[in-house]
Amino acid sequence: MSLKNDTDKPYMKQDALSHDDCVKMLYQVIDNEVCPEEKERFHEHLKMCMPCFKEYNLEKAIRNMIRSKCKKREVPNDLVSSIKGKISNSGAV
Amino acid sequence: MSGEEKHKYTQEEKESVFESEFLPLVDSLYNFAYRLTLNEDDAKDLVQDTYMKAFRFIESFEKGTNAKAWLFRILKNSFINEFRKKSKEPSKVDYHEVEAFYNSDDVDEAITTDLRVETVQDMIGDEISNALNGLDVDFRTVIILCDLEGFKYDEMAKILNIPIGTVRSRLHRARNLLKEKLSRYAKKMGYL
């Protein structure tokens, strides 16, 4: 059997990512810092691993909450004019 | 900012870069400054300071490149150099201890909490905000940059002047701490 056939065995895909690797990758997947192949392997693992699946969904929910609920503060009205003023006073503009 | 390539701008170009590329970012910069200082006046001072420096060192900025990352880096450095020094209050945690902790090998361990998706989704903005603001500033910063401002790891590495591996481990640790805080909070409120 050639080496090539060995690596092409279909079950290799499922075995490829260990639980520990998955935990390490979780944030990188959420932050979109992995290549499409790694992402696919990660999602293959999620199908078989309940703890990872739960953790992934929880982390996603926290990210979404941070984005939607940490409200933006209004910039004070005078800030931009004061910046412009300081720059022209410094003789720069 | 020494050692960086200089770009010659005419006075007119300087003003145009400042107006069209820098000033539109005031909203993001003010919010970042506020989340670092947790004080409106300090945040205003920090943003003004950042813009003054940006104008003074504008020749280190290459037109059309990432102005947001460049300005965030100036702001973060100003915060470290001026605001942290100014406050006489010693850091609440032993920084070296923290550094050693989040650079240690066990940083990738999975922290399991009994926090559930529904519990998190039921929380209100103040609860999330307070948990985030309660984190040590270095941990808070990476979460703000990544989750609120959407910077990539390589941009964060430049803004914070740390290796990309440290960005990854600090973010990991920060998120685990946040999760612990949210979980404690949920327990206290009887959500869990």
Side-chain angles (χ1 to χ4, degrees):
Chain A
M1 196 192 283
S2 77
L3 246 166
K4 190 179 176 298
N5 282 339
D6 238 11
T7 52
D8 279 348
K9 278 181 186 169
Y11 61 76
M12 286 300 286
K13 197 176 175 184
Q14 294 195 342
D15 289 340
L17 200 63
S18 73
H19 180 72
D20 286 351
D21 286 340
C22 191
V23 169
K24 283 180 190 170
M25 253 172 85
L26 191 127
Y27 289 125
Q28 282 156 268
V29 171
I30 286 176
D31 296 333
N32 225 351
E33 295 275 349
V34 292
C35 65
E37 292 77 30
E38 284 175 306
K39 198 171 177 171
E40 199 193 317
R41 287 167 72 212
F42 178 86
H43 283 284
E44 283 296 317
H45 176 82
L46 281 200
K47 286 180 194 163
M48 314 177 294
C49 180
M50 201 43 148
C52 279
F53 179 73
K54 278 184 163 172
E55 201 56 27
Y56 177 75
N57 285 323
L58 176 64
E59 288 293 345
K60 284 269 262 210
I62 296 176
R63 302 284 79 71
N64 288 339
M65 285 301 283
I66 291 175
R67 281 197 195 110
S68 60
K69 296 287 174 77
C70 284
K71 57 176 188 281
K72 284 234 163 204
R73 296 188 78 88
E74 290 287 318
V75 176
N77 284 329
D78 56 343
L79 185 57
V80 170
S81 57
S82 136
I83 290 166
K84 286 181 174 171
K86 278 191 183 216
I87 296 239
S88 44
N89 281 342
S90 74
V93 174
Chain B
M1 263 166 253
S2 61
E4 281 174 28
E5 206 187 323
K6 297 266 188 271
H7 305 272
K8 276 280 161 221
Y9 294 114
T10 63
Q11 190 62 26
E12 218 172 46
E13 282 171 326
K14 278 188 194 177
E15 286 167 34
S16 131
V17 167
F18 196 82
E19 285 274 342
S20 65
E21 298 203 43
F22 294 176
L23 279 182
L25 295 164
V26 71
D27 194 50
S28 293
L29 286 165
Y30 178 73
N31 273 275
F32 183 40
Y34 182 82
R35 293 207 175 270
L36 288 178
T37 59
L38 301 176
N39 174 293
E40 279 182 22
D41 289 332
D42 286 346
K44 271 173 81 172
D45 287 348
L46 191 50
V47 172
Q48 283 182 359
D49 199 45
T50 301
Y51 274 105
M52 295 296 283
K53 283 183 185 149
F55 196 83
R56 211 162 81 220
F57 295 109
I58 203 162
E59 290 179 346
S60 306
F61 174 74
E62 188 183 342
K63 237 197 296 192
T65 60
N66 194 338
K68 188 175 170 184
W70 193 70
L71 291 171
F72 267 64
R73 183 182 162 145
I74 297 176
L75 192 148
K76 170 70 184 162
N77 287 340
S78 298
F79 173 71
I80 291 172
N81 294 335
E82 281 139 54
F83 280 81
R84 269 185 168 178
K85 253 185 230 158
K86 237 190 262 171
S87 75
K88 294 273 188 292
E89 180 197 349
S91 184
K92 283 189 207 90
V93 288
D94 181 333
Y95 191 79
H96 295 290
E97 201 177 291
V98 174
E99 185 80 29
F101 190 41
Y102 60 66
N103 287 335
S104 68
D105 288 340
D106 63 358
V107 81
D108 286 327
E109 73 187 316
I111 301 268
T112 41
T113 61
D114 25 18
L115 211 51
R116 291 178 312 131
V117 170
E118 298 75 30
T119 314
V120 171
Q121 284 168 344
D122 284 343
M123 286 185 179
I124 58 167
D126 282 353
E127 294 163 348
I128 306 269
S129 227
N130 288 344
L132 182 59
N133 292 345
L135 294 179
D136 183 67
V137 70
D138 288 310
F139 293 128
R140 194 161 77 226
T141 302
V142 286
I143 292 186
I144 297 166
L145 293 178
C146 190
D147 293 335
L148 282 176
E149 295 299 338
F151 283 111
K152 303 303 287 178
Y153 290 180
D154 60 337
E155 292 171 325
M156 290 168 68
K158 281 181 198 144
I159 292 168
L160 301 172
N161 205 21
I162 53 177
I164 205 160
T166 310
V167 170
R168 236 185 332 252
S169 54
R170 198 175 290 183
L171 200 48
H172 196 117
R173 189 71 201 131
R175 283 167 168 170
N176 279 338
L177 287 168
L178 182 69
K179 216 157 43 173
E180 280 167 19
K181 268 189 194 297
L182 291 175
S183 171
R184 265 205 305 276
Y185 182 79
K187 275 198 189 93
K188 201 176 91 188
M189 299 306 285
Y191 295 162
L192 283 181

